[in-house]
Amino acid sequence: MDFTRLSADSAYTQQFAQQLLSNAAFRDAAIKANKAKEEQNQPSATEETGENAAGASGLDNLLGVLSSAISQAANAVENPEVDPAGDDSVTQLLNHPFLKTALSALPLESALTLKVLMGQAPPQAAQQAISLVNTLPANTVSKVATTLQNLSPENLEKGVNFFQALFGVNRNDRAFTQGNNQDYYLNSDNSRIVSGAELNQFLRTAYYVQASGNDIGKFLDQATDVINRGDYDDLDRFLSGADMVMYKKEDVSKYLDFSKKMLDESSHDFESNIFQMYMTMSYGGSMQNYIDIADNLKVAGDEGRNNLVDLTRIVVDFRDAGGYVPALYQMLADEANEGGDVHALMNDYMALQGLADTSPDYTRF
């Protein structure tokens, strides 16, 4: 389908309307939708002739209604002051429960064509979506197509960008894949399997992000950024972190902001910090506790990695000694918020508990 010609060529609009009519699910839903409207406005006929007449009328009217809606959308492009949703009959038809169910079951190209014609999706984004789906492995096409089909117009391009990054043939994080290696992530023969596993995890997390009322567009942007700038397993860690944030009813937007900050500061330390945040929440602390600690304690580079190892050792030791771990996180966060030195406080704890620091002191180099 040439999306750029849809609004300008009436033959295309007629062709597409006929294509929709040839889809049994869409046609039957349209007949039911129009039948319901007619029953509200017309006296009932006999049971036998009434059903047949309503069905025929719905089928006859559908082509005209679609053409009218398409013409209104095209006219709105030329005359912005015209509201394409002004026709109540068109709005009612497209929003009818029967028809909405049928539209969600249409092939991706048909669904995007309708969105383009109705001014609900830019032609370029629709074309990118179709081009993307045509390059995917067969076992992932339906999942990706369904996801793109259900994204809002403003998020369609973001969804395309994410899937292009996920399935990109030149993913930098997989440039080092090795043949005949037993490591699941390092074996190039398993690259497609890895992508499929990442896709399944992404779809599950994305569903809960959207269902919980969070900004799916911001989530798509950040997931794409993680793929483009992170290492081979950073997306998995990012998604598991998002799952924990939602499970703990924390602020997803704040999590995405921290994720972006860590990628900007040091992409190589992204996974370790997301893991520490995950661990903080799993041990009863809050996401904000870790953000406060990370803002005070160096968490990137060689010194940062050493600090995160020490933080983990302290938490485990405190837990094993029977301490209430959420209180420990709160104490460290309070130290940070009061302008103290979290690193010094950690050193004092390790000295008191006899936790010998065997790692290099990078502050001396």
Side-chain angles (χ1 to χ4, degrees), residues 237 258 270-283 286 290 294 299 304-305 307-313 315 329:
R237 181 61 65 194
F258 179 80
F270 174 82
E271 183 189 9
S272 58
N273 275 272
I274 296 300
F275 172 75
Q276 285 288 340
M277 176 177 280
Y278 182 100
M279 189 176 78
T280 299
M281 290 185 285
S282 67
Y283 274 91
S286 69
Y290 184 72
V299 293
R305 292 161 202 161
N307 289 340
L308 292 183
V309 170
D310 286 345
L311 177 60
T312 301
R313 294 168 64 219
V315 170
Y329 281 121

Side-chain angles (χ1 to χ4, degrees), residues 129 185 210 219 225 252 308 317 330 342 364:
Y185 288 97
Q210 190 162 25
F219 173 77
D225 199 22
V252 173
L308 292 183
D317 178 80
Q330 189 62 56
V342 174
R364 299 172 61 185

Side-chain angles (χ1 to χ4, degrees), residues 167-201:
F167 292 100
V169 295
N170 295 317
R171 277 186 65 172
N172 293 330
D173 63 324
R174 292 186 184 163
F176 60 87
T177 53
Q178 308 165 24
N180 301 319
N181 191 307
Q182 297 304 310
D183 189 316
Y184 183 81
Y185 288 97
L186 298 182
N187 189 334
S188 58
D189 294 335
N190 287 323
S191 180
R192 180 174 296 183
I193 299 175
V194 172
S195 295
E198 289 177 326
L199 173 63
N200 289 337
Q201 185 177 357

Side-chain angles (χ1 to χ4, degrees), residues 45-113:
T46 63
E47 183 176 349
E48 179 180 355
T49 59
E51 183 175 352
N52 292 338
S57 176
L59 193 59
D60 292 339
N61 290 338
L62 179 59
L63 180 59
V65 172
L66 285 172
S67 298
S68 173
I70 291 168
S71 298
Q72 289 177 30
N75 186 41
V77 173
E78 299 175 359
N79 304 286
E81 69 277 4
V82 177
D83 182 6
D87 187 339
D88 290 339
S89 64
V90 174
T91 303
Q92 291 175 11
L93 178 66
L94 292 178
N95 290 329
H96 196 283
F98 290 134
L99 209 55
K100 290 180 72 173
T101 301
L103 286 171
S104 66
L106 285 175
L108 178 64
E109 186 174 36
S110 296
L112 290 179
T113 299

Side-chain angles (χ1 to χ4, degrees), residues 104-247:
S104 66
L106 285 175
L108 178 64
E109 186 174 36
S110 296
L112 290 179
T113 299
L114 185 58
K115 287 186 177 182
V116 171
L117 288 170
M118 297 302 297
Q120 297 178 351
Q124 184 178 5
Q127 188 60 60
Q128 289 176 338
I130 297 300
S131 299
L132 165 70
V133 170
N134 288 338
T135 65
L136 297 181
N139 62 328
T140 64
V141 169
S142 62
K143 296 176 182 178
V144 174
T146 300
T147 302
L148 293 176
Q149 188 169 330
N150 288 292
L151 286 175
S152 64
E154 59 270 18
N155 289 327
L156 177 60
E157 187 173 357
K158 296 180 179 183
V160 171
N161 291 338
F162 171 79
F163 288 120
Q164 284 177 335
L166 180 64
F167 292 100
V169 295
N170 295 317
R171 277 186 65 172
N172 293 330
D173 63 324
R174 292 186 184 163
F176 60 87
T177 53
Q178 308 165 24
N180 301 319
N181 191 307
Q182 297 304 310
D183 189 316
Y184 183 81
Y185 288 97
L186 298 182
N187 189 334
S188 58
D189 294 335
N190 287 323
S191 180
R192 180 174 296 183
I193 299 175
V194 172
S195 295
E198 289 177 326
L199 173 63
N200 289 337
Q201 185 177 357
F202 163 79
L203 292 177
R204 182 177 62 251
T205 302
Y207 169 79
Y208 287 112
V209 168
Q210 190 162 25
S212 56
N214 290 288
D215 186 346
I216 188 64
K218 185 175 182 179
F219 173 77
L220 287 169
D221 282 341
Q222 188 56 34
T224 304
D225 199 22
V226 171
I227 292 176
N228 288 333
R229 294 201 284 165
D231 295 326
Y232 67 93
D233 56 351
D234 283 358
L235 177 63
D236 291 339
R237 181 61 65 194
F238 167 75
L239 295 174
S240 66
D243 289 341
M244 176 60 78
V245 167
M246 288 185 287
Y247 174 74

